[in-house]
Amino acid sequence: MSVASVMPSNHLILCGLLLLPPSIFPSIRVFSSESVFRIRWPEHWSFSFSISPSSEYSGLISFGMDWLDLLARRQITENKIYCENCLVCEGSEWLVSIVIENCVAAAGFSVGEFAALVFAGAMEFSEGLYAVKIRAEAMQEASEAVPSGMLSVLGQRQSKFAVACLEAQEHCKTQGIEDPVCEVANYLFPDCRVISGHLEALQFLQKNSSKYHFRRTKMLPVSGGFHTRLMEPAVEPLAQVLKAIDVKKPLVSVHSNVDGNRYMHPKHIQKLLAQQVVSPVKWEQTMHAIYERRKGTAFPQTFEVGPGKQLGAILKSCNLQAWRSYSHVEVLEASEDTEGPL
């Protein structure tokens, strides 16, 4: 017998990696009270639903989702959290396979792009996890070769990001650094950037922040200058893994970090995922591409599901009208106490 699950339409979901169902069968704990069941995938996620005969389809069972808790299992690699956020748009109908049929688009921030692609059915969960492992190890090795880092910069309209990076590179040359790197690595929202490169260059920017009209700067707790050409050694190992993965056409459109546009086909995915390692994350551009709509067209509800509310804060700065329909769904970390409340 077929089973159907129906959820409201006109929703956007901002989700973390572990919304994706694990490829292994769970150790299921079931509690029943009349027609309400609670099932938990240890270290992954849990949910509660009620069952009743479908009023729309004869012979089918309707699953009413009462709540969904994602248990964010954090795996630290290259000083980053694997379960970074991804964006999924306008889902309506969920089947038991947890595939959203009516999504409009998906995007993931940096390593979260793998989560978006797995969510969209472009690759298996295990394949995405393995690719992220190889990516993290290769990027960590590259970061150890050069003292580098990332600097968050909150600017203003008159801020001179390009000039600042060029002058920081020139400063590094006077310090004997050959081929110095200082580049914008993340476009977050208007006048907010993350700059990556040699530590000497980033320290120069901090000391001279007023010259370039930077309102605030802060070093990020990462181990390297990610999303710049300093990560070039990591491209080939990741490219080889991606070639071995059976990448499929996504079930929903997925936007690339490299240019903010939608992936066209599987080979396009393989190419740009490798290129993303040495390219800036154009998240601001992605937000504009996803939420662009004609004047008067209503924005769907947006849910961020994942650790933290960073994507919601960025959305607010990029598109206030879209953010007005935004909500955050708390994510619980898996604990060793498996007998805890669901």
Side-chain angles (χ1 to χ4, degrees), residues 7-78:
M7 292 186 69
S9 59
N10 294 324
H11 284 65
L12 282 97
I13 303 175
L14 289 163
C15 65
L17 174 65
L18 295 179
L19 174 59
L20 313 173
S23 57
I24 60 173
F25 195 81
S27 299
I28 301 178
R29 299 167 60 196
V30 181
F31 303 84
S32 63
S33 175
E34 297 180 355
S35 60
V36 178
F37 291 76
R38 296 180 181 180
I39 300 180
R40 180 172 186 168
W41 265 258
E43 298 185 337
H44 289 286
W45 53 287
S46 63
F47 63 91
S48 172
F49 57 86
S50 57
I51 299 176
S52 61
S54 174
S55 59
E56 297 183 49
Y57 305 100
S58 176
L60 299 185
I61 296 175
S62 175
F63 280 53
M65 188 73 71
D66 297 318
W67 50 259
L68 171 64
D69 281 336
L70 307 183
L71 309 176
R73 180 182 181 183
R74 299 188 175 192
Q75 175 176 335
I76 304 300
T77 54
E78 63 176 78

Side-chain angles (χ1 to χ4, degrees), residues 55-313:
S55 59
E56 297 183 49
Y57 305 100
S58 176
L60 299 185
I61 296 175
S62 175
F63 280 53
M65 188 73 71
D66 297 318
W67 50 259
L68 171 64
D69 281 336
L70 307 183
L71 309 176
R73 180 182 181 183
R74 299 188 175 192
Q75 175 176 335
I76 304 300
T77 54
E78 63 176 78
N79 291 336
K80 295 171 71 70
I81 297 176
Y82 177 39
C83 49
E84 292 202 20
N85 295 328
C86 72
L87 174 72
V88 183
C89 300
E90 292 183 358
S92 65
E93 207 170 279
W94 285 49
L95 301 180
V96 171
S97 61
I98 319 299
V99 173
I100 296 183
E101 292 185 338
N102 296 332
C103 279
V104 171
F109 190 94
S110 189
V111 69
E113 193 163 353
F114 286 87
L117 288 164
V118 174
F119 182 84
M123 62 179 68
E124 297 295 327
F125 178 86
S126 58
E127 293 173 332
L129 188 62
Y130 181 68
V132 167
K133 175 181 180 293
I134 298 301
R135 177 185 184 273
E137 292 173 347
M139 291 175 70
Q140 181 62 39
E141 184 175 349
S143 69
E144 291 172 356
V146 178
S148 58
M150 303 181 79
L151 179 72
S152 175
V153 180
L154 178 61
Q156 46 194 327
R157 284 189 176 182
Q158 61 267 45
S159 295
K160 303 176 181 178
F161 291 100
V163 172
C165 289
L166 288 174
E167 293 189 358
Q169 291 177 41
E170 291 301 318
H171 166 75
C172 287
K173 291 178 181 178
T174 66
Q175 302 301 308
I177 300 176
E178 297 183 2
D179 193 24
V181 173
C182 185
E183 306 169 0
V184 173
N186 299 162
Y187 293 85
L188 301 181
F189 54 86
D191 303 321
C192 186
R193 307 282 185 265
V194 173
I195 297 176
S196 291
H198 283 82
L199 283 179
E200 183 66 34
L202 303 183
Q203 291 166 358
F204 171 84
L205 293 181
Q206 283 191 297
K207 292 177 182 178
N208 297 275
S209 60
S210 60
K211 176 182 178 180
Y212 305 113
H213 304 286
F214 295 159
R215 293 166 56 191
R216 185 168 68 247
T217 62
K218 180 181 179 181
M219 290 296 299
L220 300 182
V222 297
S223 59
F226 303 123
H227 294 291
T228 68
R229 50 194 171 90
L230 289 174
M231 295 296 108
E232 189 66 41
V235 173
E236 187 57 27
L238 176 58
Q240 291 301 318
V241 170
L242 292 172
K243 287 180 181 178
I245 293 177
D246 180 22
V247 179
K248 306 176 185 65
K249 182 178 180 180
L251 298 176
V252 298
S253 297
V254 178
H255 288 249
S256 169
N257 284 179
V258 174
D259 55 16
N261 296 324
R262 300 174 182 178
Y263 283 114
M264 304 303 295
H265 47 74
K267 288 187 177 180
H268 194 212
I269 294 173
Q270 293 169 320
K271 177 183 177 180
L272 291 191
L273 274 182
Q275 185 179 335
Q276 185 229 58
V277 172
V278 291
S279 302
V281 175
K282 295 186 176 180
W283 193 252
E284 179 184 346
Q285 295 86 332
T286 300
M287 292 294 93
H288 292 316
I290 289 178
Y291 286 96
E292 183 180 7
R293 56 197 63 226
R294 293 180 179 177
K295 185 177 181 180
T297 303
F299 289 96
Q301 287 184 281
T302 297
F303 297 94
E304 180 175 2
V305 183
K309 302 179 182 180
Q310 293 90 339
L311 295 186

